[in-house]
Amino acid sequence: MPPTPGVPEGKRPTLADVAARAGVSVALVSIVMRGAKGAGAATRERVLEAAREIGYRPDARARLLRSNRSRLLGVQFGLQQPFHTDLVEGVYAAAEPAGYQIALSAVAPSRGERHAVETLLGDRCEALILLGPQAPAARLAELAAQLPLVSVARRLRPAVPGVDVVRTADDEGARRAVDHLVSLGHRDIVHIDGGRAPGAADRRRGYRTAMNRHGLADRARVLPGGLTEEDGAAAARTLLGDDPRPTAVVAFNDRCATGVLDAFLRASVPVPDEISVVGFDDSHLARLAHIDLTTVGQDVRRLADLAVGRAVARLEGEAASDGETSGKETVIAPHLVIRSTTAGPRNG
């Protein structure tokens, strides 16, 4: 690529470079770039054309730092969670029209939540949006005392002062999964749970409630599971040793369900002919053609819009003016997405 005209190779173009190219003062270039009054239409166009020619781009971050505001929303997310990836995309879509940028910090096996959050604080984020946080309530309260904090996809009982919560009705989602399977004729339905993951207790409760309501309490069975494909595969291998096997499985999330499908495929157990499988989240993983997973969908766009809206309301003082200083919980209804991993039992 040839060097930018008028700019030394390897050097980022500056306001002074634009001024030299357009034949105007640096102060006038600054006025144009800020969109302020004081430059005529012809001069404004000449400055903008010079900026395009030399590849000048305003440094928004530096400008914000000078204004003593970062306008950054910090987002903590799980690096290996497809559902979190979908949420992050939604957060970007909601934040930018509101005039805010996003700083991301990942939680991974080698990088804990505390490290992820401290990184965001170091970036001068004005508010935090935590996706599926597992930190103790005391830690969340500590953070909320410093800056606006929104917890997504985790119920907080009791409520934590200052923490806004946006979540799906996880118990209702599990009930809908069981209702769907029962409507197909299933009676032996197993739930592979999520351990201590956010939402796991509610999904267990929803599963048991639905089994009781259908008169299947004596057939209810909860297997230890988790958030990953490995967790799902391990639980599925336990089920493969059962005689008779259950005819349907409700997995904690789509990753766990994918591990179940993989274990059944390796054991030559056809899905859904011999056993039906339901996931939770409707992440992009579930929509892949070779997985095509029946799952409980969460309204990602709505969750993201609400999370950003709550953070921005706190920053702009709207929440305080509405008397919502203690924290607000918003619960979104889930929906069932039926694909090819569920059907009536063979002997149904």
Side-chain angles (χ1 to χ4, degrees):
M1 179 181 292
T4 303
V7 179
E9 188 171 358
K11 180 178 179 291
R12 179 176 177 172
T14 65
L15 285 178
D17 296 322
V18 177
R21 181 78 173 181
V24 298
S25 68
V26 172
L28 190 53
V29 172
S30 177
I31 288 172
V32 172
M33 292 303 167
R34 288 185 285 112
K37 295 179 180 179
T43 300
R44 187 177 300 275
E45 180 54 37
R46 186 163 83 251
V47 169
L48 293 175
E49 178 62 25
R52 285 192 291 270
E53 288 175 353
I54 69 173
Y56 172 80
R57 293 175 62 87
D59 189 340
R61 183 70 63 86
R63 186 170 65 250
L64 288 170
L65 288 173
R66 287 194 296 272
S67 72
N68 204 34
R69 285 213 52 188
S70 70
R71 298 193 74 85
L72 276 176
L73 304 179
V75 179
Q76 171 195 286
F77 70 105
L79 188 62
Q80 298 176 320
Q81 296 299 324
F83 176 59
H84 287 189
T85 303
D86 295 343
L87 275 171
V88 166
E89 184 177 354
V91 168
Y92 271 114
E96 291 182 354
Y100 287 83
Q101 297 298 313
I102 299 301
L104 298 177
S105 192
V107 176
S110 60
R111 193 172 194 264
E113 284 192 8
R114 182 171 287 273
H115 186 179
V117 168
E118 291 297 333
T119 299
L120 294 173
L121 295 176
D123 285 340
R124 297 183 67 246
C125 291
E126 295 186 338
L128 295 178
I129 298 175
L130 308 183
L131 308 186
Q134 299 193 48
R139 170 61 174 164
L140 297 181
E142 175 187 321
L143 291 169
Q146 301 176 48
L147 75 175
L149 189 151
V150 182
S151 171
V152 181
R154 175 186 171 183
R155 176 201 285 264
L156 294 176
R157 287 290 183 271
V160 177
V163 178
D164 289 309
V165 173
V166 177
R167 66 178 181 87
T168 296
D170 290 291
D171 52 349
E172 181 182 341
R175 290 197 301 270
R176 292 192 182 198
V178 173
D179 289 347
H180 167 62
L181 292 168
V182 170
S183 74
L184 294 173
H186 293 278
R187 297 295 179 267
D188 293 310
I189 304 168
V190 169
H191 176 50
I192 300 174
D193 83 347
R196 298 177 62 84
D202 284 349
R203 294 178 197 182
R204 280 193 298 272
R205 183 173 62 254
Y207 161 78
R208 291 190 183 278
T209 297
M211 293 293 281
N212 289 342
R213 190 176 67 243
H214 290 292
L216 302 173
D218 59 331
R219 302 193 186 194
R221 181 183 176 193
V222 176
L223 280 183
L227 292 84
T228 70
E229 293 89 348
E230 292 77 9
D231 294 324
R237 287 191 289 270
T238 297
L239 295 177
L240 289 171
D242 289 355
D243 186 17
R245 293 173 187 153
T247 63
V249 172
V250 177
F252 170 69
N253 66 6
D254 292 344
R255 283 188 70 193
C256 181
T258 301
V260 171
L261 294 175
D262 182 71
F264 288 163
L265 177 63
R266 293 175 185 275
S268 300
V269 173
V271 174
D273 294 346
E274 267 191 41
I275 190 163
S276 289
V277 178
V278 181
F280 204 114
D281 289 340
D282 194 28
S283 64
H284 61 269
L285 183 67
R287 300 190 288 270
L288 294 175
H290 66 287
I291 295 177
D292 202 36
L293 178 68
T294 293
T295 185
V296 176
Q298 302 197 59
D299 190 339
V300 169
R301 187 58 185 266
R302 182 75 174 136
L303 290 169
D305 284 351
L306 286 166
V308 171
R310 294 307 301 166
V312 171
R314 293 273 180 187
L315 290 171
E316 305 298 339
E318 297 171 19
S321 65
D322 291 340
E324 294 176 356
T325 56
S326 62
K328 176 181 179 181
E329 180 182 64
T330 306
V331 183
I332 307 301
H335 57 280
L336 188 69
V337 182
I338 301 174
R339 298 195 180 95
S340 66
T341 59
T342 53
R346 180 174 288 178
N347 58 354

